[in-house]
Amino acid sequence: MKQPDIFSLFDKQEFDVDGTATITSCEREPIHIPGAIQAHGALLLLDSELTIRQVSENVADYFHRGAASLLDQPVRSLLGDALAAEIAIRFGDVANQQQFTASVAGASVQEWHISLHHNQGGIVLELEPANLRKEISLSSYTALINNLQATDGIAPLAQKAAEAVRELSGFSRVMVYQFLEDKSGRVIGESVQQGMASYMGHYFPASDIPPQARTLYLHNPSRYIPDVDYTPVSLLPGVNPLTGKPLNLSLSSLRSVSPIHLQYLRNMGVGASMSFSIILEGTLWGLIACHHRQPLHLGHAQREACYLLSKSFGTMLQERYRREEERMHKRIMQVQTPLLQRMAQASDMASSLYLYTPTIKDLLDCSGCAVCAADGIHLLGKTPTTEQVQELVAWLHKDVMQEVYSTNSLASEFPAARAYTATASGLLAIAVSRIQREYILWFRPELVQTVRWAGRPDDEIKTSAGSLHQLEPRKSFASWQETVRGVAQAWKPVELQAARDMRGLLVDVVMRVSGELNLKADILSRLNLELERSTNELDSFAYIASHDLKEPLRGIFNYSQFLLEDYGDKLDEAGKEKLSTLIRLSVRMEQLLDSLLQYSRIGRMEIHKTEVDLNQTLQEVRDMLQQPIDGRQVHIRLAEQLPTICCDELQVLELFQNLIANAIKYNTQPQVEVEIGCRPPDSTTAAWTFYVKDNGIGIEQRHFDAIFTIFRRLHARHAYGGGTGVGLTIVKKIVERHGGEIWLESEPGRGSTFFFTLPEENKEH
């Protein structure tokens, strides 16, 4: 999270205090600048000189000094020289929140949990007493994670996550709350204490969590309210002296909560609350929401364990969605491939879609399909009548401009469809030719649902006076049922993409028939584009997965270190060894993630081609690698002068560096010999062929393909200097992105020769 984003997000939004009783007033409440904090900690705002510029008024409760007397004083006068020096060191390196524990002499509490973050030219320092400790055994935490990992399916995973967080936290009720497309929410997993109301399967209206609250959840993923009846602690002065505006507490863990939300919790019978955001690919998917009947004070370590578990749940949830999408994509491709083969051979494109199995209807999960072609309308499965489809196509032609259109409530957009909601409440349509009114329509039937709301969704916020803070949230959360009709199962992104791809292929066929394109060339082009898109998506997934996994991994590493440092004297040698192993495995995992990031970077970077003298490139590599290793001499020899070619200089340098480094690494000879040579283009190939030959240990032929697989090593992890097994994968990627090929010749004990081609006239990939 980049700091400027969250602090500027609300700048252009208007917040009012006009006291109107509409939902809009709640949506415009400035919850990011409450001017106060919760009472379970203290807050200081420091400038770049570490001078106290703003302070919470309860500082006297902890440090026996009045808040006003601290203003414009150096922070060391309050916290001591050692802690001030620690803050100074961390001041220049606070990209996200930094957290640590420290002692303060003379304070009412000896040990403190401290968090720091940059805030519009200053730094916010938050202090919480660290006198609450609950030991969480590594084995029990690992068991919870393993239990989640072993759970298949999204709903069972959500249920297990709710149970795990409740076990860690001790809250009376824990819910996994998923946001829906209309911003309402649904509880899909819950663990609740006997006697407390259950909201499993219930829906909550979008107004319960207004837009600015969802924005804060996206940027500050954890929130804790130990006592909903706390008295807000004001900041002194009321305005941030560094900006002349109220202090923006968007990233603060102590931020005082909206009085409307506090009353909402009281109305719900809640005395304490905690929540963690579930963020998938930069989007707020939902929350893990924790409620307790009475106030509940948890130590930071216990809250951090719950947060790390919620992060792990988010990662596992993303993986379950990916698996589900892969299964759907595989099924779609099993239908699309024979359809394409028939289309490529048929003289009548339309008939190839509906006369033979599989049909175009089988491409998507639907109850019926209509092929609207020049020779008429052809119906498959359960559909509206031919006349109704004709009316529908006329409406699409006149009022819908999208080439791919979808809805799961057709009657709400096309009233005439009320006559056939049972058959076609859902519609996915692609326009093959708008001029000829040629469409393909997929239908889904009405899915009658009984939706259980936690209270009436139209129970609006009320007010009795002219102040925003007198707005009152709804008081009833009693189950209220609503029957929803005229709505079908929503179309999933992978289905929409399949429809877009199919439209592109069909348009190509139409253009071929009209003499504008050659069919086979177009289908090949489309398939290449599909392959390129899939490859790009895989690269993006590798980057996102490896990048996002590093944060919870660092949490596991840090948490293990904390356990070893703080509880080392309570563990036997076996326990210490297990913790040390966990730390070592975390480091190993981070190395693998770094390699995955490096691999995805190669796939994501644009190729910048220039004229490159490969002799100079090779000289740079020789300067880096031609050094004695373990007393052995390294001799890198150039068999002939290398050419000047058009390529990406940095990527080709990395290509030679990886191949030559491997030639040196996997070599047990007293003198390492590496030879580099080339062959110019000839009548059989329009590419330069290069080779890197060594006198190393060699490779068995059965491993020739495997060595280019990511993370595949042929030897023990620490043999030959160790490594992650990504080097040759990167080499292959670079060669292929330049339009070339790579192969090898090798025998065990007789060295290896790696060959690769770089075309003389390259085309960017």
Side-chain angles (χ1 to χ4, degrees):
M1 292 176 291
K2 295 182 179 179
Q3 165 262 335
D5 292 340
I6 183 61
F7 293 117
S8 61
L9 273 176
F10 300 112
D11 287 350
K12 296 181 180 180
Q13 297 185 29
E14 295 183 4
F15 297 95
D16 62 28
V17 287
D18 61 9
T20 57
T22 64
I23 296 297
T24 302
S25 296
C26 183
E27 291 175 351
R28 296 170 70 174
E29 183 188 10
I31 60 175
H32 61 298
I33 49 172
I37 63 170
Q38 297 182 64
H40 61 280
L43 181 146
L44 306 174
L45 173 67
L46 312 180
D47 63 17
S48 59
E49 301 298 324
L50 300 189
T51 300
I52 300 173
R53 303 302 302 277
Q54 199 170 11
V55 61
S56 59
E57 291 187 346
N58 65 343
V59 70
D61 299 340
Y62 298 117
F63 298 100
H64 313 300
R65 291 184 60 180
S69 69
L70 292 173
L71 295 176
D72 299 322
Q73 298 298 309
V75 72
R76 68 174 181 275
S77 67
L78 178 67
L79 303 181
D81 292 337
L83 184 49
E86 173 76 7
I87 294 169
I89 292 172
R90 293 175 179 268
F91 184 86
D93 190 34
V94 186
N96 296 314
Q97 277 197 336
Q98 287 202 16
Q99 302 178 354
F100 61 99
T101 56
S103 299
V104 179
S108 60
V109 177
Q110 183 176 3
E111 192 171 13
W112 295 83
H113 175 76
I114 299 173
S115 66
L116 308 171
H117 69 265
H118 277 299
N119 190 308
Q120 296 178 293
I123 190 166
V124 166
L125 182 71
E126 297 181 273
L127 303 100
E128 287 187 51
N131 53 358
L132 293 173
R133 287 184 176 272
K134 177 182 178 181
E135 294 188 18
I136 300 171
S137 72
L138 182 62
S139 60
S140 63
Y141 185 85
T142 302
L144 291 174
I145 294 293
N146 289 340
N147 194 22
L148 288 181
Q149 191 66 58
T151 304
D152 195 19
I154 291 170
L157 180 65
Q159 180 60 34
K160 291 292 185 183
E163 294 169 1
V165 172
R166 183 167 169 238
E167 181 176 336
L168 280 176
S169 66
F171 272 80
S172 305
R173 178 174 56 226
V174 176
M175 301 178 292
V176 176
Y177 180 92
Q178 180 185 5
F179 287 111
L180 306 178
E181 285 190 18
D182 63 356
K183 306 305 180 186
S184 65
R186 180 167 58 102
V187 177
I188 66 169
E190 182 188 58
S191 178
V192 62
Q193 191 178 67
Q194 188 174 4
M196 198 169 188
S198 170
Y199 295 109
M200 181 64 184
H202 282 67
Y203 288 71
F204 288 75
S207 57
D208 279 13
I209 304 179
Q212 75 274 32
R214 291 194 294 271
T215 298
L216 288 183
Y217 278 126
L218 185 60
H219 290 82
N220 190 351
S222 63
R223 191 203 61 189
Y224 173 53
I225 309 171
D227 185 352
V228 301
D229 291 321
Y230 73 90
T231 300
V233 179
S234 297
L235 301 179
L236 185 70
V239 171
N240 178 356
L242 303 180
T243 64
K245 301 177 181 179
L247 181 63
N248 190 318
L249 294 176
S250 296
L251 294 182
S252 170
S253 61
L254 292 173
R255 174 177 58 86
S256 190
V257 184
S258 158
I260 303 173
H261 181 65
L262 291 175
Q263 188 58 50
Y264 175 94
L265 292 173
R266 295 187 194 104
N267 294 347
M268 207 176 190
V270 172
S273 170
M274 183 168 67
S275 63
F276 304 103
S277 306
I278 306 302
I279 300 169
L280 305 185
E281 296 183 346
T283 300
L284 183 63
W285 176 90
L287 303 170
I288 293 182
C290 310
H291 293 158
H292 203 66
R293 288 191 180 94
Q294 300 85 26
L296 182 63
H297 292 268
L298 301 183
H300 179 266
Q302 195 173 358
R303 282 147 45 197
E304 184 69 10
C306 294
Y307 171 67
L308 290 174
L309 191 140
S310 73
K311 291 284 289 183
S312 297
F313 166 67
T315 300
M316 296 177 199
L317 187 65
Q318 183 66 66
E319 173 64 14
R320 300 307 186 278
Y321 276 119
R322 186 190 64 80
R323 289 181 193 171
E324 182 180 326
E325 187 170 297
E326 282 185 349
R327 284 194 293 267
M328 292 184 66
H329 182 71
K330 182 178 180 181
R331 190 195 68 78
I332 288 169
M333 293 305 295
Q334 287 174 342
V335 175
Q336 188 184 74
T337 300
L339 279 175
L340 293 179
Q341 291 172 346
R342 285 208 305 267
M343 287 165 55
Q345 300 169 3
S347 57
D348 178 9
M349 180 268 291
S351 63
S352 70
L353 299 176
Y354 62 81
L355 282 181
Y356 309 100
T357 302
T359 67
I360 191 68
K361 171 184 175 293
D362 301 319
L363 185 69
L364 302 178
D365 180 14
C366 65
S367 57
C369 179
V371 178
C372 307
D375 63 345
I377 294 175
H378 308 274
L379 303 180
L380 302 168
K382 297 179 180 179
T383 69
T385 65
T386 299
E387 293 74 18
Q388 289 168 336
V389 171
Q390 287 174 335
E391 292 177 356
L392 180 56
V393 168
W395 171 73
L396 289 169
H397 177 74
K398 179 177 179 292
D399 293 340
V400 177
M401 295 298 105
Q402 302 102 299
E403 304 295 353
V404 177
Y405 166 81
S406 67
T407 177
N408 68 331
S409 181
L410 179 60
S412 65
E413 301 184 41
F414 179 52
R418 292 194 185 101
Y420 46 86
T421 53
T423 303
S425 286
L427 171 67
L428 175 51
I430 59 175
V432 180
S433 172
R434 293 180 59 83
I435 296 175
Q436 301 296 326
R437 299 196 181 190
E438 294 183 339
Y439 288 81
I440 295 180
L441 314 177
W442 289 273
F443 302 105
R444 276 182 175 166
E446 176 185 45
L447 188 63
V448 179
Q449 298 182 75
T450 299
V451 175
R452 290 185 298 161
W453 292 93
R456 289 182 65 95
D458 55 356
D459 188 5
E460 294 187 350
I461 290 177
K462 298 176 176 62
T463 186
S464 57
S467 169
L468 176 68
H469 287 185
Q470 290 176 317
L471 287 168
E472 295 182 356
R474 60 195 178 94
K475 296 181 179 179
S476 173
F477 294 86
S479 185
W480 183 82
Q481 291 190 358
E482 176 187 25
T483 300
V484 178
R485 306 191 68 97
V487 177
Q489 179 184 331
W491 303 97
K492 295 181 178 178
V494 66
E495 295 174 312
L496 297 176
Q497 185 59 49
R500 281 190 286 269
D501 293 342
M502 180 54 68
R503 179 189 176 273
L505 293 164
L506 292 171
V507 168
D508 284 353
V509 174
V510 171
M511 294 177 72
R512 187 269 308 196
V513 171
S514 65
E516 296 180 24
L517 283 177
N518 179 276
L519 172 65
K520 291 183 179 180
D522 274 353
I523 291 178
L524 181 59
S525 174
R526 286 286 175 177
L527 290 175
N528 284 337
L529 286 174
E530 172 70 14
L531 178 60
E532 183 177 351
R533 184 181 64 80
S534 299
T535 301
N536 290 338
E537 287 177 352
L538 182 60
D539 285 339
S540 297
F541 171 75
Y543 175 82
I544 292 168
S546 55
H547 181 272
D548 289 356
L549 284 173
K550 293 187 75 172
E551 183 177 352
L553 183 65
R554 280 193 294 267
I556 294 171
F557 176 83
N558 291 336
Y559 189 60
S560 303
Q561 289 237 344
F562 292 156
L563 285 174
L564 199 58
E565 293 171 2
D566 296 347
Y567 302 100
D569 56 344
K570 300 179 182 179
L571 297 172
D572 57 16
E573 290 303 317
K576 293 178 183 178
E577 177 60 29
K578 289 177 180 177
L579 273 180
S580 299
T581 300
L582 180 61
I583 292 171
R584 187 171 64 255
L585 292 175
S586 298
V587 172
R588 170 65 177 168
M589 187 63 182
E590 184 159 21
Q591 291 172 344
L592 291 173
L593 290 176
D594 286 337
S595 296
L596 187 57
L597 274 171
Q598 185 183 9
Y599 174 70
S600 67
R601 174 182 58 82
I602 294 296
R604 293 162 63 87
M605 287 176 59
E606 291 185 12
I607 294 180
H608 299 286
K609 294 178 181 176
T610 57
E611 293 291 326
V612 178
D613 184 349
L614 294 183
N615 298 290
Q616 295 181 6
T617 300
L618 190 61
Q619 187 57 49
E620 291 183 41
V621 176
R622 294 170 72 176
D623 292 341
M624 287 187 284
L625 299 178
Q626 193 164 335
Q627 303 293 333
I629 299 176
D630 298 330
R632 297 179 297 145
Q633 294 298 313
V634 177
H635 182 213
I636 301 175
R637 186 174 70 86
L638 190 60
E640 57 261 319
Q641 287 294 300
L642 300 183
T644 295
I645 66 170
C646 183
C647 64
D648 186 304
E649 183 175 10
L650 292 178
Q651 290 197 14
V652 171
L653 185 146
E654 186 171 1
L655 188 162
F656 275 110
Q657 182 177 333
N658 280 349
L659 286 177
I660 295 172
N662 275 359
I664 297 170
K665 181 178 181 179
Y666 297 101
N667 199 312
T668 57
Q669 301 295 334
Q671 177 159 317
V672 177
E673 297 286 347
V674 183
E675 178 183 309
I676 298 94
C678 64
R679 294 196 300 267
D682 55 28
S683 59
T684 61
T685 176
W688 281 88
T689 301
F690 301 89
Y691 68 86
V692 176
K693 181 179 181 181
D694 64 58
N695 63 336
I697 61 173
I699 304 168
E700 293 183 34
Q701 185 173 358
R702 62 191 177 97
H703 297 310
F704 281 7
D705 291 331
I707 60 174
F708 293 107
T709 303
I710 192 167
F711 299 144
R712 180 66 183 269
R713 284 175 51 82
L714 303 182
H715 309 282
R717 181 184 303 171
H718 301 294
Y720 298 100
T724 60
V726 79
L728 286 177
T729 311
I730 289 175
V731 164
K732 187 172 185 287
K733 188 78 167 180
I734 292 172
V735 170
E736 290 177 346
R737 293 198 76 209
H738 279 76
E741 300 178 71
I742 185 168
W743 68 96
L744 73 149
E745 296 176 357
S746 182
E747 292 182 30
R750 304 189 65 177
S752 303
T753 304
F754 283 82
F755 299 89
F756 62 91
T757 61
L758 294 177
E760 192 170 31
E761 294 183 4
N762 291 295
K763 295 181 181 180
E764 291 195 20
H765 287 254

